[in-house]
Amino acid sequence: MTDIGVEPYREITFDADGDADPAERTALTGVDATDLVLFAHGWNNTPSTARGMYRAFFAAFPPLVAGSPGVRLAYGGVTWPSIRFTDETIPDFPHAAAPAAGPGLDAATVSALKGFFPGQDAALDTIASYLREQPDSEAAFTDFGRLTRQLVTASGSAGRAGSGGDLALEDGPGAVPALLTDSALELCQRFTSALAETGMDVRPGPSGPSFSIGGSLKHLWDGAKEVLRQTTYYEMKHRAGTVGQRGLGPLIGQLALSRPDLRVHLVGHSQGARLVAFALKGLPRGARNLKSVTLLEGAFSHYVFAERLPDGLTGAGALSDAQNGLDGPVVSCYSHFDTALGVIYPLASALSGDYASALPGQDGRWWAIGHDGIQAVSPCTTLTLAEALRDGVPDSGCVSVDAAAVVKSGGPPSGAHSDICHPELARVVLAAGRIVTT
């Protein structure tokens, strides 16, 4: 049995289609507990990396529940196929490999990409070569864009309508992000500018139409690496939605039948927050064992629960009214120090021909739920972290908690995106689930 410092602990592993390991499912059913906190990681290359995050996050729980009458808390880790570039910082977390300098890819990231995109080894070798050699050629950027998009089209993500898009608009015919349609050279320029906005030390270059200094385009390879990263996350968001809706949601329904006494609480970070949110869409009707969902720096649209989209968008959020499907609240913890969601995410999420001409992140339509909380939902309670810790959170509906008081550390380009291992956030999870009252 895996030892991560808390007991009892169980894992549940899903493949990209949402199928769970049968033996792990059985072990989860047999856990001796009144409450089960299930954590879904965001971008991690290996189960061991995910376990490191679980170990750090769960460490705060035992002393917080000690002495609570009638509470026997169990812990679970959800493992699913995702990816993290090694230059993405996790505060106070050991890295298995040193990040690559500049726009190049280290061997560990190339290996992880090949596992994430099976059958695309040749394309990834060429992509890595471009990022390493940084050719001063428009043709090279064009080919780089073709190859990065090939990763997504080969996996089928670009054509999967209704497979977990944040907005109904994303599921319409031809409605795909500019990331997959616009000029590769222009995208690289935009992401180079966005990286500078996060405080990243990128090579200076002009922002005008020519994109070059004395004919050179080399500085735009900084943005090219970000284009690859965000294209990878476009595939991750579809996997997260699929695993949540087809895997985790039905699993919770099965627990409701086999262990009706077990109260389940879901926690997700980044794309893992998307996974646990989309579990609501796969939760069988009548299952009332899910008692809370806590989203930590969620990397998906802040309109996802909206009945009607504002700001000139049409339709509803992909999880409209899903918060009413559980016996408890949906709590989104967010921070403006998260530059991955405040600067890079909006640029990657905007639709073709419709992204802001202003600086990255200034078009609020494309902000993430981990940047400014749940939007366009009424009622939705908004609290500071201090208020949530002092008074608790509502026992139903949508709740946004500004966690910037603790979620504030981390270097560019992600900023505080992974700065989530704090006792204060553990207390929010316990309050949301009515496991321990404040």
Side-chain angles (χ1 to χ4, degrees):
M1 186 177 298
T2 302
D3 179 14
I4 67 161
V6 292
E7 294 182 354
Y9 172 76
R10 301 289 185 271
E11 288 185 356
I12 187 75
T13 303
F14 294 97
D15 66 16
D17 296 319
D19 293 327
D21 181 284
E24 291 178 344
R25 186 190 299 119
T26 300
L28 194 64
T29 301
V31 70
D32 180 19
T34 58
D35 294 82
L36 171 66
V37 178
L38 273 175
F39 192 117
H41 64 78
W43 43 59
N44 287 284
N45 293 336
T46 65
S48 63
T49 306
R51 289 178 191 129
M53 177 70 80
Y54 299 155
R55 182 179 292 108
F57 186 77
F58 284 143
F61 282 77
L64 292 173
V65 300
S68 300
V71 174
R72 299 192 314 279
L73 189 60
Y75 308 86
V78 175
T79 302
W80 62 286
S82 63
I83 188 169
R84 180 180 69 86
F85 285 43
T86 57
D87 63 353
E88 293 158 5
T89 57
I90 303 176
D92 303 319
F93 189 83
H95 291 276
L105 298 175
D106 59 277
T109 300
V110 174
S111 177
L113 284 166
K114 289 180 177 179
F116 191 70
F117 293 108
Q120 294 296 308
D121 288 16
L124 287 164
D125 284 338
T126 303
I127 287 170
S129 175
Y130 279 139
L131 292 173
R132 180 178 63 253
E133 298 173 5
Q134 305 169 45
D136 188 9
S137 160
E138 288 193 31
F141 282 95
T142 299
D143 193 49
F144 173 85
R146 177 187 66 82
L147 291 170
T148 56
R149 289 162 186 171
Q150 176 181 307
L151 301 177
V152 174
T153 55
S155 68
S157 289
R160 283 187 292 220
S163 59
D166 295 340
L167 309 176
L169 183 61
E170 289 184 1
D171 296 335
V176 294
L179 186 68
L180 302 181
T181 60
D182 284 18
S183 159
L185 189 60
E186 183 175 352
L187 285 169
C188 292
Q189 189 273 337
R190 285 181 174 270
F191 277 106
T192 299
S193 297
L195 289 172
E197 187 77 5
T198 71
M200 193 83 168
D201 184 18
V202 298
R203 288 164 291 181
S207 57
S210 69
F211 310 133
S212 65
I213 302 177
S216 175
L217 302 169
K218 293 178 74 69
H219 67 288
L220 298 184
W221 288 107
D222 292 292
K225 182 176 181 179
E226 195 61 38
V227 169
L228 172 64
R229 192 197 316 265
Q230 296 304 320
T231 303
T232 301
Y233 295 161
Y234 184 80
E235 168 65 15
M236 272 179 59
K237 85 170 191 174
H238 286 280
R239 289 194 188 182
T242 297
V243 171
Q245 183 173 343
R246 298 181 185 175
L248 185 56
L251 174 68
I252 295 169
Q254 293 166 6
L255 285 174
L257 297 176
S258 60
R259 287 291 308 276
D261 59 317
L262 184 63
R263 305 169 76 247
V264 180
H265 313 273
L266 298 181
V267 184
H269 168 238
S270 186
Q271 296 280 7
R274 180 187 180 88
L275 190 157
V276 301
F278 273 80
L280 295 172
K281 204 168 186 178
L283 192 67
R285 183 171 297 181
R288 303 299 290 172
N289 58 330
L290 182 57
K291 301 301 181 180
S292 66
V293 174
T294 304
L295 313 172
L296 304 177
E297 300 307 299
F300 57 111
S301 173
H302 58 183
Y303 294 146
V304 72
F305 294 106
E307 292 184 11
R308 186 186 304 273
L309 299 178
D311 299 327
L313 303 172
T314 59
L319 298 180
S320 175
D321 286 334
Q323 68 271 20
N324 297 320
L326 74 159
D327 184 22
V330 174
V331 180
S332 173
C333 294
Y334 66 94
S335 171
H336 68 273
F337 292 113
D338 185 337
T339 50
L341 301 183
V343 179
I344 303 296
Y345 175 91
L347 190 58
S349 298
L351 299 183
S352 181
D354 199 25
Y355 54 109
S357 58
L359 291 173
Q362 289 190 348
D363 189 342
R365 293 175 300 170
W366 312 116
W367 286 349
I369 202 168
H371 173 67
D372 65 341
I374 299 167
Q375 301 295 318
V377 173
S378 182
C380 177
T381 303
T382 299
L383 303 170
T384 65
L385 182 60
E387 290 170 338
L389 297 180
R390 184 191 66 214
D391 303 325
V393 301
D395 59 9
S396 64
C398 288
V399 184
S400 293
V401 175
D402 184 349
V406 296
V407 182
K408 58 185 179 180
S409 298
S414 298
H417 185 65
S418 294
D419 186 21
I420 61 167
C421 296
H422 298 283
E424 294 86 350
L425 298 185
R427 290 175 60 190
V428 171
V429 173
L430 294 170
R434 289 89 73 205
I435 302 170
V436 174
T437 58
T438 56

